[in-house]
Each structure stands twice: as structure tokens, then as C-alpha cells.
Amino acid sequence: MSDPSPWWRDAVIYQVYPRSYADADGDGVGDIAGIRARLPHLADLGVDAIWMSPWYPSPMADAGYDVADFRDIDPVFGTLAEAEALIAESHALGIRMIVDIVPNHISSAHPWFQAALASPAAPERDYFWFRPGRGPDGAGMPTDWRGEFGGTAWTRVDDGAWYLHLFTPEQPDLNWDHPGVRAEFESILRFWFDRGVDGIRIDSAALLFKDPALPEVVDGRPHPFHDLDEVHSVYRAWRRIADSYGGDRALIGEVWMPSVERFAAYLRPDELHAAFNFDFLGCAWDPALMRACVDRTLDAHAAVGAPPTWVLSNHDVTRHVTRYGRTDTTFSFDNNLDGTPVDLELGTRRARAAALLSLSLPGATYIYQGEELGLWENENIPPAEFQDPMWGRRGHSRDGCRVPLPWSGSEPPFGFSSATPWLPQPPEWKDRTVQAQTGDPASMLELYREAIALRRAEPALHHTAMTWLDVQPAVLAYTRGADFACVVNMSGAAVALPGHESLLLSSGPLDGDLLPPDTAVWLRRQT
Ligand code: GLC
């Protein structure tokens, strides 16, 4: 019998981006030995699980999301034995492990693609989308599809055929109509479940299938490569595999989807357990928008009985201290090349309030490494140092949110490495290191530690519904259980706190009995 309230329904899950967590071997790139040495940080923070971004052998054309072998570890990160040791050590600390699987595409260095390139007659061609070109000499791309990173989605090989890649040319798309592709990924899932992992994060989960007629993308017609119905049969099969293992293994999808109904379909009881809430991540710091987003999220998940997730940042988007500090408040994924002013003090205050919000809404909460330190986007990386392939294709780089963590000391590399880190750290992070913040009750790190500890101990925050409190519209206030309340002041002016018995936690200083703007509190209500 599986647990009626399993861990993934309300876990705090911490995303480790292995290139940037901690470097033990001194090459400027993070590694598994670094993660093992710094595991106590995650135990002190009190997280329930780690989601590990890809650590597999890879030419790193897309920072590891171009996987050449799903059953091993890239030497830059370490060995499979070290990965197994990390899983065991995390479990010993009560921390579960989620690994990242990338089913839409593999690396062009993968043996399947290499075999497919070797001959037009190779059976491995059928694992991919090889097509003749258009026009008399086949020199025109098979379709005008734009890739997910911008740019074209097809590349021509020496024998004249074209292959599809929705991301970079080094990430050829797999043909999910081929039973061999299905079988391979089912076997990969088992490989990691057999090694004790507790969950799988599924990259680009809605892309897998393509309309074989290859129609052009036309608004109002079914999309030829997003969210095709066949994808659900894959996740039903994966769910059966997950369920066949004990210990509540979870499948968590990266599902970007404008339609709430289509999104929820991935979370039906026989499909994925959870999916990232990009609606919330993309929501501006605006009370009406935020309240509507929370309601939409709760409704969509209630319809299928799935737990909502609350996500503020990840390795693909501008860090939220920076986003919330943009005075125009419009949300943007971009790296601000147009120079919209950023008020980091305001962004930090809002990020502190957002921490209490995201950690007290019903469901699971995701923390992107460095968020607990209040890191902001490094918007000062010289373009010549950009490593992200998206930069070349869309004129936007995700490197600013991937900068190595500051652990200690007063200047870069801040204890991350003994060498120069693979991306530059802002010197101002001297106040944001783990060392500088530990023990400082006003720090972001201590706020996260305290909030997570309170959340863990607070029965009202587990498996209870939330109810909005009737206060002024620009203040988000809700109760959980019998006597817990969270109040977030987004009104721009100080407001009176609703009646309460005690103050449990505050994201910033109160002004007497007033809650200042962009500040949140957790309260014990009078019963
Ligand atoms: C996902 C990942 C992103 C990657 C892309 C292609 O969106 O989060 O980092 O570049 O998929 O795999």
C-alpha cells in the first residue's frame, strides 16, 4: 500500500545545479565530491529532497542537457560510484534524491546519433527525425519551425538529409514513435530507480512527439510539436514503472503550457505526480495577478487531485531577487540587456516575503540553489564570457543565474573552488556567503532555515487547504488549518495585521503593529 500522504505532496525540494554548487577538484567547475562535502548545508537548511540537474557524460553543448550516456557520470562531475555514494549519504541525512532525465533529445555524441550519421541506411536513423529537404536539390529545410532557443530547427548532414533539433544542433530530437526509444527510456528509469533515487525530473516533458506530417506552426491549429496527445501514453507507462518500486518514487514534469486544462492532464492520477508551476514563477509582484495565479493553480490541481508546486527560480530564468527588483514590475525571463533599472534592496525584500509565501501555500516548494542566500542575477557577465548556447541563438543568456555559489571568504571564488570559477561571481556577494549569513538573524539564509523548520513542525502546513482572509485586496492573507495564517503586504503602504495570538515569523522588521510594504508574516491566529 502506498502512503496516502506521500513526501512529494508537500516536500521542500532543492535544485542542485552541479556545475555551480561546490568544486572539490579545483578545476573551477562544481562536482559530486563538492556536493558531498557541502551536504551539511542542505541538512541544516532542512530540505526534504535534492533535484540534481544533469550530471551525465556530455559534450556540454547545453550545460549537460545534451546527454551522451544516461547510465554514467561525466568525468567533470566524478564517477558513478561517487553518485551512488551521494545518494546513500543524502538518504542517511533524510534527504531524497531526484535525477533529471532528458527524453526529448540526446547529445549528437550519443552512439545512436553517431551510428545514424555514419550511413543513410543505418537503422539508428529511425531513432531520430531525418527528412529530405525541400526544393529540387533538397537544400531547403523540411519545415520553417523555429527552435525553442530561437534559430532554425533543422541541420543538414553530409549525405544531404536534414535532422530535427528543437534546441541546439548538438541535441537531435528523438523519434518517440519508435518502440526502441520507449524501451530505452524505460530501462534508464529502472537504472536510476534501482540505484535508489526517489524521483525523476522530466525535461521538456511536453515536447516528445511530433506530427509526422510535419505541418507548419499555424495559430489556431494543433501544434505540431507541443503537447501531442500521444505523450500521455509514455507517462502512463512511466507511472507504472515508478509504482512498481516501493518508497513512493515520483515523476516531476517540466511542463510549460499556456492552457491550465492541458497542463493538468499531465497530472492525472495515472500520470506524473507533480509539475513545475511556471505560472507562479512568471507572475509579477502584483497582488491581483498573484492572487489570481494562486487560485488558478489550486483549481487546476484540485481538478486532478495533484499537489500544486511553488517555484520562484531555476537555472533557466532570471533570479527572482532581480526580477522583483525591476521597478517596472513586468516579468521577464531575459537578461535585461535593455538595462531596465533593478533595485536589489526592493528585490531582496520581496524575495524574503516570497519565501514565506511559497513555503506556506499548500503543496511542494522548490528552491533553486542560491535562492536561500538571496543571490541576484549576475547581469555583468561580459558577453564574451557567456557559455549558454541560447546566447548565440536567441541573444539571451541564462548564465547570470548559473553563477557558482559563494560559501565563505571575502572575495571570489568565495570558497567555491581553489580555481577561477567557470562563470564570474559578483564581488558584492561577500555579504551573501553561507559563512557571512550563518548566525545572522536578519539574513536570508537564517530566514529560510527558520521558515523550513517551522513548516516542518507545523501541522497546519501539511495536507490542509488554504482559505483567503477577507482583508484589503492588495494584501494576500490566507489561513491554513485551524490557526495558521500568512499575510503578505503587496499594497505599497503599511497595513494593520489581522488579529492574532502570536507572531511566528516575519520576513522583515515590523513597524509597531503595522506590516510594512513588501513584507510577509506567519501568524498563530486566535481560535
Ligand atoms: C529544459 C532545461 C534547459 C535546457 C532545455 C533543453 O528547459 O531546463 O536548461 O536547455 O530543457 O534540454
Side-chain angles (χ1 to χ4, degrees), residues 403-421:
V403 174
L405 292 188
W407 291 95
S408 59
S410 56
E411 55 190 43
F414 294 122
F416 166 74
S417 173
S418 53
T420 304

Side-chain angles (χ1 to χ4, degrees), residues 214-231:
L214 302 186
E216 290 302 338
V217 177
V218 179
D219 275 353
R221 293 220 209 116
H223 198 283
F225 58 82
H226 265 175
D227 190 32
L228 272 65
D229 287 337
E230 291 88 330
V231 75

Side-chain angles (χ1 to χ4, degrees), residues 62 65 105 149 167 201 203-204 254 315-316 398 402:
D62 184 16
Y65 282 91
H105 46 267
F149 286 173
F167 294 90
R201 180 262 187 190
D203 186 79
S204 304
E254 186 203 19
H315 65 293
D316 290 330
R398 297 167 293 179
R402 300 177 173 179

Side-chain angles (χ1 to χ4, degrees), residues 147-424:
E148 297 287 303
F149 286 173
T152 58
W154 298 91
T155 290
R156 200 170 193 194
V157 300
D158 288 347
D159 56 61
W162 296 78
Y163 69 89
L164 176 69
H165 50 84
L166 292 179
F167 294 90
T168 70
E170 294 82 13
Q171 294 165 293
D173 277 51
L174 287 164
N175 170 18
W176 274 88
D177 296 319
H178 194 303
V181 171
R182 286 186 184 242
E184 173 67 357
F185 275 84
E186 291 180 7
S187 150
I188 292 166
L189 242 52
R190 290 183 191 283
F191 179 88
W192 286 102
F193 283 146
D194 287 341
R195 272 157 192 76
V197 307
D198 304 279
I200 306 283
R201 180 262 187 190
I202 304 164
D203 186 79
S204 304
L207 291 184
L208 278 41
F209 285 84
K210 283 92 200 177
D211 181 341
L214 302 186
E216 290 302 338
V217 177
V218 179
D219 275 353
R221 293 220 209 116
H223 198 283
F225 58 82
H226 265 175
D227 190 32
L228 272 65
D229 287 337
E230 291 88 330
V231 75
H232 295 285
S233 69
V234 170
Y235 298 136
R236 290 203 174 100
W238 289 19
R239 178 63 177 253
R240 287 193 292 274
I241 293 172
D243 287 348
S244 73
Y245 285 81
D248 286 308
R249 317 291 172 114
L251 303 172
I252 299 150
E254 186 203 19
V255 183
W256 295 87
M257 194 77 55
S259 151
V260 165
E261 292 74 31
R262 300 289 307 188
F263 173 84
Y266 287 77
L267 301 176
R268 288 176 288 196
D270 60 347
E271 296 197 33
L272 307 183
H273 298 78
F276 299 104
N277 187 349
F278 294 118
D279 194 14
F280 184 70
L281 181 151
C283 188
W285 190 257
D286 172 286
L289 295 177
M290 200 66 107
R291 184 187 294 257
C293 171
V294 170
D295 283 338
R296 249 191 332 268
T297 300
L298 295 176
D299 289 350
H301 290 79
V304 284
T309 66
W310 308 101
V311 188
L312 294 169
S313 279
N314 67 27
H315 65 293
D316 290 330
V317 303
T318 303
R319 282 190 178 273
H320 62 275
V321 164
T322 298
R323 288 191 338 250
Y324 291 154
R326 288 192 185 154
T327 43
D328 62 4
T329 74
T330 48
F331 170 74
S332 155
F333 283 131
D334 69 31
N335 50 342
N336 199 17
L337 291 176
D338 57 357
T340 308
V342 179
D343 178 343
L344 287 178
E345 216 174 291
L346 176 71
T348 302
R349 207 159 54 240
R350 290 176 170 173
R352 293 176 64 90
L356 296 201
L357 174 70
S358 66
L359 284 164
S360 65
L361 288 166
T365 302
Y366 286 77
I367 297 173
Y368 174 48
Q369 69 177 34
E371 166 181 336
E372 80 283 15
L373 303 178
L375 300 188
W376 59 83
E377 184 84 359
N378 184 358
E379 296 191 308
N380 295 318
I381 302 176
E385 290 179 38
F386 282 155
Q387 313 252 346
D388 181 9
M390 198 188 255
W391 168 243
R393 300 178 72 80
R394 200 152 83 185
H396 158 61
S397 163
R398 297 167 293 179
D399 291 321
C401 67
R402 300 177 173 179
V403 174
L405 292 188
W407 291 95
S408 59
S410 56
E411 55 190 43
F414 294 122
F416 166 74
S417 173
S418 53
T420 304
W422 71 284
L423 286 172

Side-chain angles (χ1 to χ4, degrees), residues 76-124:
V76 81
F77 298 131
T79 63
L80 186 58
E82 287 178 275
E84 288 170 340
L86 172 63
I87 295 168
E89 287 160 10
S90 304
H91 284 168
L93 291 170
I95 300 174
R96 294 172 192 267
M97 179 67 73
I98 297 165
V99 296
D100 208 324
I101 296 291
V102 188
N104 180 68
H105 46 267
I106 55 176
S107 164
S108 53
H110 189 285
W112 279 5
F113 194 72
Q114 288 298 310
L117 281 186
S119 153
E124 286 83 357

